Amino acid sequence: MAVRRPSAADIDAAARHFGFHFDGGSERDYLGAVLAMLASYDVVDELYDDLARPPVSPRDYRFLERGDNPLGAWYVSTDISTGAQGPLSGRTVAIKDNIAVAGVPMMNGSRAMEGLIPSRDATVVRRLLDAGAIVSGKSVCEDLCCSGSSFTSASGPVRNPWDPMREAGGSSSGSAALLAAGEVELALGGDQGGSVRIPASLCGIVGFKPTYGLVPYTGAFPIERTIDHLGPMTRTVADAALMLSVIAGPDGEDPRQPGEVPAVNYRAELTGAVEGLRVGILTEGFGQQESNPNVDELVRSAAHRFSEIGCTVGEISVPWHRKAFHIFTVVITDGAAYQMLDGNGYGLGADGSYDPELMAHFARQRLINADELASTVKATALCGRYGLTTLGGASYAKARNLLPHARAAYDDALDQYDVLVMPTVPGTAEALPTGGPQDFALLAHAHGKAINTSPMDVTGHPAISVPAGLVDGLPAGMMIMGKRFHDATVLKLADAFESLCGGFPSAPVMPTS
């Protein structure tokens, strides 16, 4: 079908955007040239409809009443399975709602996405179903995944099972809350600044961000392709390793993945043989301005316990750790404004699979519902736009050029130690704030939790959050990071710590409506 043709006003707006100045005759000439070029757009539309547009196969789903969804953690409930027999046969899984499940609504926590029903399963969803898993539904996430807390979703706040008056952490808030409450056995999350590990820490579960490129991102809503990650969220390290074994590996559609991705049975790597491995306590991960001293003390004590099972434990300084947070901030701010917002999720200029229907839907809806976006999204948009226009994108370029220095600093430390350890979040779950996601006063509440987690999103190192214990009755997480593509080592040490603890504690009670 023919694409919509521009008016003279459309050409005038485009000319003003690029700083062109035309007289009336020139503008008509350029309008004619554009109309001629758009004939190719018509051909591409027709070819796509004939050859590439997948049909939408409906699947059953339902929106839950509040009494059936006391944590506000489900977006929609489903019961999807293929009957396949595999390593996840019969295991229930929640899918973060920035990840496509064909035939099921996808909101990504935002009015800007509401109403979209994807026609394709994300690669990770397909792999879980092929392994025998049962998709129990889509879990709520924060507005366009832009919050470390759990009050920005357009569907309402997500509550922490340890205390329903407190945050669950974000942006994979629903996945963490459902796991901690025992409503599902497994979950998928997305991590662009800590969004798997932060809610895992605050809800007392396991959250693993794999090495960048190990798990295909195909079919998940992007923020910025250089920091996009998907990863498992579970109650045990063994389940995280099992899930990773299922979802890892190239799919041929995601340009984030390197040419060769190692095939590893991560579950089989959990042998318990960790004697002689070296655990480095990362000095700069402690004692930060945002740090709770009791959390610092708990995590430091937990790290020293590795010596009980034959590991060498020592302290190491990586000054770039605190600088890397600022590199991340520039990358995600300018990058999200350029790719996620102005680029309607996918942006341009990269190989791989795109979702044209999502891009068109988001382009319309984000303008119609712009005022309803959370303050976190608005602040990112405004700063990113300034960085791209007034500053010419130079700050992003500088951050990308500084990144190898930060990555090398971690790599040097990881030559001395097999893993580095620090608090995942420098505190515990805070009370859910009063007010709405658009309230500017709540902006600070959504930020600050990614001070330790975000560097690994720009450097690509694998990192896991495991429960270190409780502080004032609330979970606190210990983060273990390792060398790139040494995910098995990170999981092995996390599993050894879980065994040392005799398992991780569960949330005491499920809140009632």
Side-chain angles (χ1 to χ4, degrees), residues 195-404:
S195 290
V196 162
R197 292 160 288 156
I198 291 169
S201 179
L202 300 186
C203 289
I205 62 161
V206 175
F208 184 63
K209 183 203 80 69
T211 298
Y212 177 78
L214 179 62
V215 173
Y217 201 81
T218 310
F221 190 95
I223 290 181
E224 211 276 354
R225 63 174 50 87
T226 68
I227 59 172
D228 291 332
H229 298 73
L230 299 177
M233 302 175 73
T234 58
R235 290 193 292 254
T236 68
V237 177
D239 276 347
L242 182 61
M243 278 189 76
L244 184 62
S245 300
V246 168
I247 64 177
D251 72 349
E253 297 183 87
D254 183 5
R256 299 167 188 79
Q257 297 194 277
E260 294 185 10
V261 176
V264 179
N265 183 337
Y266 294 98
R267 179 64 182 85
E269 291 290 314
L270 305 185
T271 61
V274 298
E275 187 174 356
L277 291 178
R278 303 159 299 168
V279 176
I281 298 174
L282 184 65
T283 303
E284 287 76 14
F286 297 79
Q288 306 199 58
Q289 185 175 350
E290 301 87 352
S291 293
N292 178 330
N294 294 325
V295 171
D296 276 358
E297 181 181 353
L298 174 69
V299 172
R300 194 179 293 277
S301 297
H304 277 291
R305 293 202 65 189
F306 282 109
S307 63
E308 299 174 26
I309 49 178
C311 296
T312 300
V313 181
E315 188 105 4
I316 187 166
S317 174
V318 182
W320 269 99
H321 178 67
R322 295 192 181 179
K323 301 170 186 174
F325 171 76
H326 300 291
I327 294 174
F328 158 80
T329 298
V330 172
V331 169
I332 195 170
T333 303
D334 284 12
Y338 181 77
Q339 180 181 328
M340 181 179 74
L341 295 173
D342 283 341
N344 299 312
Y346 282 76
L348 307 172
D351 201 359
S353 177
Y354 287 72
D355 190 331
E357 292 76 34
L358 181 154
M359 294 174 74
H361 181 90
F362 183 56
R364 292 189 302 270
Q365 291 294 106
R366 71 178 177 86
L367 295 177
I368 293 170
N369 297 291
D371 287 336
E372 295 189 59
L373 292 172
S375 61
T376 51
V377 179
K378 291 173 181 172
T380 298
L382 294 172
C383 186
R385 181 68 177 169
Y386 179 81
L388 291 169
T389 54
T390 304
L391 302 181
S395 296
Y396 180 93
K398 291 173 183 177
R400 297 298 308 178
N401 287 349
L402 286 168
L403 180 55

Side-chain angles (χ1 to χ4, degrees), residues 106-120:
M106 175 175 166
M107 188 179 187
N108 199 15
S110 183
R111 298 295 179 206
M113 280 287 291
E114 194 170 24
L116 178 72
I117 298 183
S119 54
R120 313 164 177 85

Side-chain angles (χ1 to χ4, degrees), residues 131-188:
I134 300 168
V135 173
S136 294
K138 305 293 294 294
S139 57
V140 169
C141 63
E142 300 309 298
D143 194 338
L144 299 181
C145 299
C146 289
S147 175
S149 189
S150 62
F151 65 90
T152 70
S153 176
S155 62
V158 177
R159 301 179 180 276
N160 193 317
W162 290 83
D163 179 350
M165 301 308 292
R166 293 182 182 269
E167 64 187 347
S171 65
S172 305
S173 44
S175 287
L178 292 168
L179 278 164
E183 294 197 33
V184 289
E185 298 172 79
L186 311 167
L188 275 177

